[in-house]
Amino acid sequence: MSGRLEARGVTHMFGGLRAVDDWSIVLEPGELVGLIGPNGAGKSTVFNLITGVYRATRGSIRFDGVELVGRRSNRIAACGIARTFQGIRLFKDLTVLDNVRVAHYVKMRYSLMEALFRTGRYHGAEDRVVGHSRELLEAFGLAEYAAERASSLPYGQQRRLEIARALATEPRLLLLDEPAAGMNPNEVGRMMEFISWVRREYRLTVLLIEHQMRLVMGICERIQVLDFGATIAQGTPDEIRNNQRVLEAYLGPAEEGE
Amino acid sequence: MRAIQDLLGRRMPRRMFLLAIVAAGLALSWAIPHGNWVNKYIQMILVFIGINIILASSLNLVNGYMGEFSVGHAGFMAVGAYMSSVLTLKVFHLTGPSALFPVAILAGGLAAGLCGLLVAFPSFRTRGDYLAIVTLAFLMIVKSVIENIPYLEGASGLVGMKRLTTLPWVYFWMVLTLWTLRNFIYSTYGRGILAIREDELAADIMGVDTRRVKVLVFVVSSFFAGVAGGLYAHYLQFISPRSFDILKSTDIILMVYLGGIASLGGSILGATLYQVLMEVLRPGTFNQAFSWLPDPAFQWLSDRVFSHLDVWRMMILPLLLILVMLFRPRGIMGLRELPIFVPLRDIQERRKPGRGGEP
Amino acid sequence: MIDLRYVLQQALNALQLGSIYALIALGYTMVYGVLTMINFAHGDVFMVGAFLFFTASVLLHLPFVPALLFAMIGTAMLGAAIERIAYKPLRSAPRVSAIITALAVGIFLESAILAVNPYPRSIPQLLPDTTWSFGGVSFSLLQVLVISLSLGLMVVLDIVVYHTRVGMAMRAISWDRTIVPLMGVPVNLIITFTFALGAGLAGAAGSMYALAYPVIDPYMGVMVGWKAFIAAVVGGIGNIRGAMIGAFLLGGVEILVAAFLPSTYRDFVAFSLLLALLVLRPHGILGKARPQKV
């Protein structure tokens, strides 16, 4: 019960296209691992496979021993896995607070009847939800926006809100999809500190997809590289930095005399 | 953050206040017909407003709060109407007011709710436009089934129900509907509904059991449509498959979007506006209203303008809706709620840091 | 024992009905392709077409072709006017608002026609009673006219959409509405044209419907409209050839059911079959799933 992810031989086909090819990974509890690769390498597809958006054509993904392949997304969330999205998917017309409150569905401790009759149990649970949501917003520096519509937030705050919302489910594994997309070097630096802090503070295992190499090299303990759906390298940032295959994947094959 | 003591302190007075209003309303709904405080015609309008509120608010749950596009509401109404009528006519053989009337209405609602279950399942896989077709098909199927069952008197219609629907009963069921919907919406289930409207996929990934929520929404919504159908049947004392066709569904949709989506206050507004406009825009009303005018002028108006109203009034409602859509695409009260429906907890939220002052 | 001649006769009826549905379904599908909007007023535009045809042929005593043109041009103008007044302002509003507006426009048209004409009208016999016999199956002039005219119009539409620059612009807009204006395409004009085109076809459909099933009333567009919409979806909404396939399928199913079952079952069975088809192929026969990036 600690947040260990183990994927083995995961393959996913879209018709004839092999988007993910025999992918495997082991994430030990508490690790911060990066997933990189050129565009279209299948990284987001991997996230979608883990969270149940797609059902892997072949292979197994186990989280603390529980098989995820074939489970519905909300059941996977209940197992303790949360994620953010490449293009932010907040609930735009809802308030910032409500965005976080929604994610407490997995933790619902009362039945519909109790909601309808507003029992003490209902009120207690709802107060806890509001309390927990406010705490998260405080911790993420979003408390002042609580009553604002999520779509009115500046970009950087929206990214933070997405992470806050994900944390509302009290996950053990957090999947971050390009958390620093579109950010300038200053913002990237802050996001790096932020992610490290979140991982420490909430005792999470983190798998992140990112194109900003500074972030990946800076905070990831381990990196896995995908190209055309297959793993082409795994290792520490230093190992990856100097890996010939990785360089070729990003820059193209080496030419004569280079 | 234990503000419960504080909330309770505020909650009790608020509860008492609401209870007092509801009780006053009930007393009023009994007194008006009893003492004929207004004429029978206006009493009828009140009854229809009440039924419309039940229809509009229950449809708002599916179309407004959850963002789906259901056109089958009249079908659920039909199920409730026929179920309750068959019970009072052929099973209970009611001849006058009876304690079995609410039972019949409840049965109608339950039957309709069961049908809502049937429509919920296709909604798992289909997008908005396709769901319109599913609900339309459901409507057609209900209509066909009724027409083909001799026991239900088929296309010629069921007649002979006693006028068991009274203003107090309509009021009672209306309050029940609003109370249930309000408590459903302002709960974790309810926020799941909104999340589905905003982004179903993200909602799923954030842990919302979208299937369960959809089922609940359709069942609750159709249950109350069935209740409305039963009340309707026992007021008009005549129902036929034609009373519950696509035009009826469209009328209810009109009420919902006129008043405002995702707003109980909006549904009350839409339902009331609809009925009032339908009734008010008649030659008779205008003749009475302008009777003080000197004769030649009045005669001219009456002949040239008012007498045509009967025919032109049907055009005013859609025109009004088009105007509303142009300026307020979500309806007059779209996405905004009457404070009286909003729980203290959510009002508090708007009072927090930076907001200050009373809500 | 199924009589082949009977089957062929019914096939002819199905073709006739399907042609009319097709002309209407095309309007739905073109508008959806270009704006991703369901024009629920379309069925009522069809109804207006029928009434325009009635006005031209019965009240103004025009012969068939001028009456038909009168109806088609009238509905085309109506379609364009509706688009400019009611839909254009809502381009950036939530999609549902536009759909609801369309619904309201439809109701408005129904009420307007009802206001000027409260009673159903019957169209007297306009065409000579000529029938031909071929292998035991009889073809009436009416059937031949309706089917060939409709098919002719569909061919014309196909040419316009796939072989002219206007059509190319229409298709371009259906792929990507934001980029196209940057290429110098007058998007608003093309969209209005699309509406007018679809409405004109609906006007033709209305005229032929009036000829073939000679009672018209202000609410005739409601059921026909919804059925044509379903036909368009079944064929794959946004796809022109799909709309035609869906429409003929619907016509076929309806006639088939009417031939073997009591009339009250007709809509029920037709709808159930189409529903089943949608469950099996949620995007319609020729439809493509619009991929969603996650």
Side-chain angles (χ1 to χ4, degrees):
Chain A
M1 291 297 119
S2 44
R4 184 175 197 272
L5 183 77
E6 190 172 326
R8 256 203 291 252
V10 177
T11 299
H12 191 67
M13 315 277 287
F14 287 120
L17 175 70
R18 194 176 288 250
V20 173
D21 193 359
D22 198 29
W23 177 75
S24 302
I25 202 172
V26 173
L27 287 175
E28 297 293 346
E31 280 200 284
L32 211 182
V33 177
L35 192 62
I36 64 174
N39 270 318
K43 310 185 295 293
S44 283
T45 311
V46 159
F47 271 23
N48 289 336
L49 289 170
I50 297 175
T51 52
V53 177
Y54 306 138
R55 192 206 161 115
T57 321
R58 267 202 300 281
S60 131
I61 306 176
R62 286 178 169 270
F63 187 62
D64 280 340
V66 176
E67 181 62 66
L68 298 182
V69 173
R71 282 194 161 222
R72 280 170 40 215
S73 295
N74 63 293
R75 300 299 314 143
I76 293 177
C79 288
I81 300 180
R83 74 171 283 185
T84 62
F85 300 88
Q86 191 175 351
I88 305 178
R89 291 181 83 124
L90 289 172
F91 302 124
K92 296 202 186 69
D93 270 337
L94 301 188
T95 62
V96 165
L97 185 70
D98 276 342
N99 264 270
V100 181
R101 279 167 90 188
V102 168
H104 283 85
Y105 191 101
V106 275
K107 307 245 157 260
M108 185 148 54
R109 296 263 173 276
Y110 54 84
S111 70
L112 181 62
M113 277 302 150
E114 286 173 315
L116 288 183
F117 288 100
R118 294 297 202 240
T119 60
R121 189 134 174 249
Y122 164 81
H123 280 299
E126 280 295 305
D127 286 333
R128 271 196 299 277
V129 166
V130 174
H132 186 228
S133 302
R134 286 199 182 280
E135 278 170 26
L136 278 170
L137 290 182
E138 284 277 352
F140 281 54
L142 295 168
E144 58 187 291
Y145 299 105
E148 308 283 342
R149 284 209 354 221
S151 54
S152 66
L153 250 52
Y155 179 74
Q157 309 292 55
Q158 286 192 15
R159 285 241 169 245
R160 286 186 170 216
L161 178 57
E162 250 210 331
I163 300 178
R165 183 179 67 172
L167 289 181
T169 61
E170 293 180 338
R172 282 158 300 154
L173 170 63
L174 181 63
L175 306 172
L176 296 174
D177 201 340
E178 298 195 34
M183 291 187 175
N184 64 44
N186 234 332
E187 293 165 327
V188 172
R190 280 205 296 270
M191 181 56 82
M192 285 169 68
E193 286 170 17
F194 184 66
I195 296 176
S196 301
W197 172 78
V198 165
R199 190 269 296 252
R200 249 190 347 261
E201 180 77 13
Y202 295 94
R203 282 186 277 274
L204 301 167
T205 311
V206 177
L207 179 64
L208 64 82
I209 295 175
E210 202 25 271
H211 282 295
Q212 301 260 16
M213 283 304 133
R214 186 175 137 225
L215 189 153
V216 175
M217 297 295 169
I219 60 174
C220 294
E221 296 155 357
R222 218 180 4 120
I223 299 174
Q224 193 186 65
V225 188
L226 292 184
D227 194 15
F228 292 112
T231 312
I232 59 173
Q234 271 207 78
T236 66
D238 276 328
E239 289 168 359
I240 297 298
R241 209 190 313 254
N242 297 312
N243 186 305
Q244 186 66 16
R245 273 202 74 187
V246 173
L247 288 173
E248 280 185 4
Y250 272 101
L251 303 172
E255 294 200 355
E256 279 291 309
E258 263 193 319
Chain B
M1 201 172 49
R2 291 273 116 162
I4 288 194
Q5 304 289 52
D6 191 39
L7 276 177
L8 260 175
R10 310 259 195 89
R11 193 170 282 146
M12 283 321 277
R14 200 187 196 222
R15 278 210 186 140
M16 293 285 106
F17 177 63
L18 280 170
L19 219 66
I21 295 186
V22 169
L26 189 65
L28 209 69
S29 71
W30 177 85
I32 291 178
H34 188 83
N36 264 311
W37 289 4
V38 291
N39 64 44
K40 290 264 192 252
Y41 180 63
I42 299 193
Q43 285 179 41
M44 178 193 84
I45 297 182
L46 288 175
V47 165
F48 277 119
I49 290 181
I51 295 179
N52 285 346
I53 291 177
I54 299 176
L55 286 169
S57 52
S58 54
L59 182 63
N60 210 337
L61 189 65
V62 177
N63 284 19
Y65 287 97
M66 200 158 77
E68 294 283 4
F69 197 72
S70 164
V71 299
H73 220 52
F76 299 120
M77 204 183 158
V79 169
Y82 271 88
M83 178 59 132
S84 58
S85 300
V86 162
L87 281 177
T88 60
L89 267 181
K90 310 201 182 188
V91 178
F92 299 155
H93 302 289
L94 297 185
T95 50
S98 151
L100 285 174
F101 177 51
V103 173
I105 297 286
L106 194 68
L110 287 172
L114 218 69
C115 292
L117 201 63
L118 290 174
V119 178
F121 288 114
S123 77
F124 294 158
R125 292 186 63 206
T126 53
R127 258 177 42 227
D129 308 337
Y130 295 87
L131 192 71
I133 298 180
V134 170
T135 51
L136 177 67
F138 166 73
L139 183 61
M140 293 289 119
I141 290 172
V142 164
K143 201 152 167 274
S144 285
V145 165
I146 294 176
E147 279 171 353
N148 287 303
I149 297 184
Y151 187 64
L152 297 176
E153 309 297 337
S156 47
L158 201 55
V159 75
M161 290 80 79
K162 297 293 168 213
R163 178 168 281 197
L164 299 171
T165 301
T166 59
L167 199 57
W169 273 124
V170 169
Y171 181 81
F172 166 72
W173 285 105
M174 180 191 82
V175 167
L176 191 68
T177 306
L178 291 172
W179 178 80
T180 308
L181 290 176
R182 183 265 196 187
N183 282 353
F184 185 22
I185 289 161
Y186 289 100
S187 73
T188 301
Y189 292 97
R191 277 186 295 280
I193 301 174
L194 299 178
I196 292 176
R197 181 188 77 210
E198 294 292 311
D199 190 331
E200 189 176 334
L201 189 82
D204 249 319
I205 295 180
M206 288 302 133
V208 176
D209 191 343
T210 53
R211 287 192 184 180
R212 182 146 178 250
V213 171
K214 281 183 175 180
V215 166
L216 283 174
V217 164
F218 275 105
V219 168
V220 169
S221 162
S222 50
F223 171 81
F224 286 114
V227 164
L231 292 171
Y232 179 85
H234 289 88
Y235 191 79
L236 286 181
Q237 301 179 266
F238 167 74
I239 51 176
S240 84
R242 259 194 320 256
S243 327
F244 306 108
D245 61 5
I246 184 71
L247 289 170
K248 184 108 201 120
S249 263
T250 310
D251 276 347
I252 306 174
I253 292 177
L254 209 136
M255 286 183 232
V256 170
Y257 281 89
L258 188 65
I261 59 167
S263 168
L264 292 174
S267 291
I268 296 177
L269 179 65
T272 311
L273 215 58
Y274 175 87
Q275 199 62 41
V276 165
L277 281 174
M278 289 289 275
E279 300 301 333
V280 153
L281 296 170
R282 288 182 191 277
T285 330
F286 275 73
N287 280 335
Q288 270 197 309
F290 286 90
S291 57
W292 51 269
L293 277 175
D295 232 4
F298 175 73
Q299 210 49 46
W300 185 86
L301 267 177
S302 182
D303 285 340
R304 293 310 197 84
V305 180
F306 299 162
S307 60
H308 294 293
L309 264 175
D310 234 340
V311 131
W312 298 102
R313 73 183 174 118
M314 303 284 278
M315 292 164 62
I316 304 223
L317 264 161
L319 269 178
L320 184 65
L321 182 59
I322 295 173
L323 270 165
V324 169
M325 284 293 110
L326 288 175
F327 293 106
R328 262 186 152 47
R330 291 187 168 94
I332 297 175
M333 280 187 70
L335 296 182
R336 288 176 329 174
E337 188 58 273
L338 287 178
I340 204 170
F341 287 123
V342 183
L344 267 177
R345 189 177 291 108
D346 292 77
I347 294 184
Q348 297 270 316
E349 177 189 323
R350 267 151 250 285
R351 270 208 230 138
K352 281 296 173 170
R355 302 290 127 223
E358 291 301 296
Chain C
M1 230 268 301
I2 302 177
D3 187 356
L4 187 66
R5 277 173 300 176
Y6 182 67
V7 169
L8 284 175
Q9 198 72 60
Q10 296 301 358
L12 215 63
N13 290 335
L15 230 77
Q16 179 182 297
L17 187 62
S19 308
I20 295 180
Y21 280 145
L23 289 175
I24 306 173
L26 284 168
Y28 277 113
T29 222
M30 284 195 295
V31 165
Y32 190 89
V34 145
L35 277 182
T36 330
M37 175 197 157
I38 307 173
N39 180 12
F40 278 133
H42 196 56
D44 297 295
V45 168
F46 154 83
M47 176 269 295
V48 171
F51 273 89
L52 284 175
F53 181 76
F54 168 80
T55 310
S57 56
V58 174
L59 297 181
L60 299 177
H61 302 292
L62 293 176
F64 175 69
V65 172
L68 178 67
L69 284 173
F70 181 80
M72 284 178 75
I73 295 176
T75 49
M77 292 190 334
L78 179 66
I82 294 175
E83 193 270 325
R84 283 280 142 151
I85 299 174
Y87 300 159
K88 183 153 177 269
L90 286 168
R91 292 254 186 94
S92 46
R95 248 187 70 217
V96 180
S97 307
I99 297 176
I100 296 296
T101 305
L103 216 59
V105 168
I107 298 177
F108 176 76
L109 288 174
E110 287 159 27
S111 317
I113 298 291
L114 196 66
V116 294
N117 179 83
Y119 310 107
R121 296 289 190 146
S122 55
I123 313 258
Q125 190 100 9
L126 283 174
L127 296 173
D129 233 333
T130 336
T131 52
W132 300 290
S133 206
F134 189 78
V137 181
S138 65
F139 300 69
S140 73
L141 175 62
L142 177 68
Q143 282 176 324
V144 172
L145 189 69
V146 169
I147 295 174
S148 51
L149 198 59
S150 307
L151 288 176
L153 284 171
M154 283 185 244
V155 166
V156 168
L157 181 75
D158 208 75
I159 293 175
V160 167
V161 172
Y162 291 102
H163 297 283
T164 65
R165 291 182 59 176
V166 178
M168 188 158 61
M170 280 169 62
R171 282 179 290 136
I173 295 175
S174 75
W175 291 127
D176 192 328
R177 214 191 328 156
T178 41
I179 303 286
V180 172
L182 301 175
M183 296 178 173
V185 175
V187 172
N188 289 333
L189 205 61
I190 301 288
I191 290 180
T192 308
F193 175 75
T194 309
F195 270 89
L197 192 60
L201 290 176
S207 309
M208 286 187 265
Y209 192 94
L211 266 184
Y213 314 103
V215 178
I216 61 173
D217 77 275
Y219 290 103
M220 64 190 270
V222 177
M223 267 326 294
V224 175
W226 278 100
K227 283 183 183 172
F229 166 63
I230 292 183
V233 174
V234 163
I237 190 97
N239 187 308
I240 288 184
R241 298 194 174 138
M244 296 189 218
I245 293 178
F248 282 109
L249 196 67
L250 175 63
V253 167
E254 262 195 56
I255 296 292
L256 202 77
V257 173
F260 293 109
L261 290 172
S263 64
T264 43
Y265 283 98
R266 190 192 59 195
D267 285 348
F268 167 49
V269 174
F271 274 101
S272 309
L273 282 174
L274 291 173
L275 202 67
L277 212 146
L278 271 183
V279 167
L280 290 173
R281 263 197 83 87
H283 294 283
I285 297 174
L286 293 185
K288 275 189 290 265
R290 284 197 175 201
Q292 212 199 35
K293 183 102 169 74
V294 182

